[in-house]
């Protein structure tokens, strides 16, 4: 495995087709899924030379937490479909790589077990119509030691994923369940519900029940980024849910600059969607992201070799990022300024 593309190819041969398609697929015609990657392809870098970059520091701080590199693990469902190591394996790898794992509400292992690995954990949730249940879940993730709440705001309904419909993939196989949807850790799991009635008041409601930082995931429009600031969010993630929700939504990297401008440094802007190369990370950072998160590549690594495979994927990205930074003449993340990114033709 010498690139993330290798990891996907290997995973495709190992997974049952229905499970591979659940991980790989997007909504409807998968235009946004493709755009996330294609849009990075449209960006080019204008490297600087002779900058004395013999020693590099890839570290960043996000929400007061030091990361060894600006690459985090995005929340993805059902890790035990990929490998028996499950979310615990992913967590161990993220911890070993010195980064944050965002644990999905649809994880197949309980948050307490994942947190016990010692990883720095943020918890992703869909606010449930049953607010009393949601509040109990918030207490549970607080008690487990999660350091932030990541609220997905791009899912008022579930996207229509044709690959899943064709495979008739709906339920988890016997023995697997959404462990954080069990009422007391032992009861039957509730189904994850999507609530189209949610509005901006949910941020104030969450603020009223928890002191954890609140991260809004799935912001694309600059006006929504301003509203996030105004409602007291602590960070936003520019994301189209990996092309799994609104097909036709703009690519994440194309939405980033306007969001960064709207936020004006008042809170950190993170990004996910289509990050596959060190140069993609460089592009996002230079356009103002504080860090990026990767979804599918982590699942491919997990499929191929469990915890070890995720570690390999994260270290491949670190190595790739380090080389991209040196070649751009940057010895630290702050040295990646906007002028390093170029779209279209040079005008001189
Ligand atoms: C299989 C799969 C499951 C996902 N599950 C969740 C989830 O439970 N909650 C969530 O907020 N996002 C979920 N996402 C979206 C990711 O957090 C992230 O936005 C996306 O995967 C980033 O794009 P990438 O896969 O191109 O890196 C999921 C994505 C995939 C591929
Ligand atoms: C099964 C869902 C809860 C997770 C998912 O597939 C997604 O958010 O894209």
């Amino acid at each position: 495995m010498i690139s993330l593309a290798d990891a996907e190819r290997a995973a495709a041969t190992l997974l049952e087709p229905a499970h591979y398609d659940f991980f790989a697929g997007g909504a409807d015609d998968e235009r946004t899924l493709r755009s996330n990657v294609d849009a990075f392809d449209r960006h080019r870098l204008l490297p600087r030379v002779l900058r004395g970059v013999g020693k590099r520091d890839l570290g960043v701080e996000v929400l007061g937490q030091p990361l060894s590199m600006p690459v985090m693990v995005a929340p993805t469902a059902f890790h035990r479909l990929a490998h028996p190591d499950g979310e615990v394996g992913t967590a161990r790898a993220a911890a070993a790589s010195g980064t944050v794992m965002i644990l999905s509400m649809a994880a197949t292992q309980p948050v307490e077990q994942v947190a016990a690995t010692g990883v720095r954990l943020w918890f992703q949730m869909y606010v449930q119509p049953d607010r009393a249940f949601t509040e109990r879940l918030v207490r549970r993730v607080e008690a487990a030691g999660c350091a932030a709440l990541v609220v997905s705001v791009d899912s008022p309904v579930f996207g229509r994923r044709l690959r899943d419909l064709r495979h008739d993939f709906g339920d988890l196989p016997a023995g697997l369940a959404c462990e954080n949807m069990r009422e007391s850790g032992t009861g039957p799991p509730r189904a994850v519900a999507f609530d189209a009635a949610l509005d901006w008041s949910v941020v104030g409601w969450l603020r009223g029940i928890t002191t954890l930082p609140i991260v809004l995931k799935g912001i694309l429009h600059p006006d929504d980024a301003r509203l996030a600031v105004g409602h007291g969010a602590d960070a936003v993630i520019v994301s189209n849910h990996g092309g799994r929700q609104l097909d036709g939504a703009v690519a994440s990297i194309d939405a980033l600059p306007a969001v960064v401008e709207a936020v004006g440094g008042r809170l950190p802007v993170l990004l996910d969607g289509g990050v596959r190369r060190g140069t993609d990370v460089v592009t996002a950072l230079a356009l103002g992201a504080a860090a990026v998160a990767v979804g599918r590549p982590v699942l491919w690594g997990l499929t191929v070799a469990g915890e070890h495979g995720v570690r390999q994927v994260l270290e491949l990205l670190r190595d790739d990022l380090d080389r991209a930074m040196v070649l751009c003449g940057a010895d630290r993340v702050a040295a990646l300024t906007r002028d390093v990114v170029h779209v279209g033709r040079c005008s001189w």
Side-chain angles (χ1 to χ4, degrees):
M1 208 153 81
I2 58 166
S3 77
L4 271 47
D6 288 346
E8 173 160 11
R9 273 190 291 273
T13 66
L14 293 167
L15 287 166
E16 276 183 41
H19 298 167
Y20 171 74
D21 275 339
F22 169 71
F23 289 148
D28 301 298
D29 298 319
E30 303 189 336
R31 288 175 297 166
T32 296
L33 174 67
R34 285 190 296 277
S35 297
N36 276 345
V37 170
D38 293 349
F40 274 115
D41 238 24
R42 268 193 285 102
H43 288 73
R44 289 288 178 269
L45 299 167
L46 273 176
R48 302 298 306 270
V49 299
L50 298 176
R51 303 258 283 202
V53 288
K55 261 185 91 179
R56 274 90 56 200
D57 177 5
L58 304 191
V60 289
E61 206 179 281
V62 183
L63 295 178
Q65 297 187 309
L67 310 189
S68 75
M69 63 172 164
V71 179
M72 315 187 349
V73 174
T76 51
F78 308 163
H79 285 202
R80 285 177 66 205
L81 270 189
H83 192 277
D85 285 358
E87 286 81 6
V88 165
T90 305
R92 289 205 178 106
S97 290
T99 193
V100 162
M101 172 181 181
I102 309 177
L103 182 68
S104 166
M105 184 179 199
T108 46
Q109 285 166 332
V111 59
E112 296 80 5
Q113 212 176 311
V114 182
T117 61
V119 71
R120 271 165 296 163
L121 206 57
W122 297 1
F123 190 82
Q124 174 272 329
M125 62 193 290
Y126 299 102
V127 172
Q128 298 294 286
D130 183 341
R131 292 291 177 92
F133 172 77
T134 304
E135 185 168 350
R136 288 193 295 278
L137 183 57
V138 170
R139 298 281 160 265
R140 186 174 163 192
V141 310
E142 286 173 340
C146 293
L149 217 50
V150 176
V151 183
S152 298
V153 292
D154 56 11
S155 305
V157 296
F158 200 54
R160 191 159 184 270
R161 298 151 189 191
L162 306 189
R163 299 198 207 198
D164 295 348
L165 293 172
R166 290 198 181 102
H167 289 294
D168 198 18
F169 176 72
D171 292 324
L172 282 168
L176 299 192
C178 292
E179 294 298 335
N180 300 300
M181 296 303 289
R182 292 187 198 277
E183 193 56 68
S184 57
T186 50
R190 294 173 176 234
V192 175
F194 301 88
D195 186 0
L198 281 183
D199 61 24
W200 282 97
S201 68
V202 74
V203 183
W205 179 77
L206 283 166
R207 184 52 82 219
I209 64 164
T210 184
T211 55
L212 287 178
I214 296 168
V215 181
L216 299 186
K217 173 173 183 281
I219 299 288
L220 294 172
H221 198 296
D223 287 347
D224 281 341
R226 280 185 207 97
L227 283 163
V229 175
H231 283 85
D234 296 285
V236 294
I237 307 182
V238 171
S239 169
N240 50 40
H241 213 107
R244 295 162 76 82
Q245 288 297 108
L246 175 66
D247 191 34
V250 67
S252 299
I253 195 64
D254 287 336
L256 179 68
V259 168
V260 167
E261 198 185 328
V263 162
R266 289 173 289 177
L267 44 79
V269 176
L270 309 172
L271 171 137
D272 73 31
V275 175
R276 302 291 179 263
R277 281 280 179 196
T279 45
D280 300 338
V281 185
V282 162
T283 302
L285 297 173
L287 293 178
V292 301
V294 283
R296 293 180 183 83
V298 167
L299 292 168
W300 307 142
L302 187 64
T303 301
V304 172
E307 170 191 342
H308 179 67
V310 177
R311 187 83 209 280
Q312 268 186 287
V313 161
L314 292 173
E315 292 310 314
L316 272 173
L317 267 174
R318 184 201 308 280
D319 184 58
D320 218 33
L321 172 61
D322 181 58
R323 191 170 30 260
M325 283 182 52
V326 193
L327 288 169
C328 283
D331 63 352
R332 71 211 123 86
V333 167
L336 289 169
T337 44
R338 210 178 158 128
D339 53 287
V340 174
V341 178
H342 190 80
V343 189
R345 275 159 44 108
C346 291
S347 52
W348 56 87

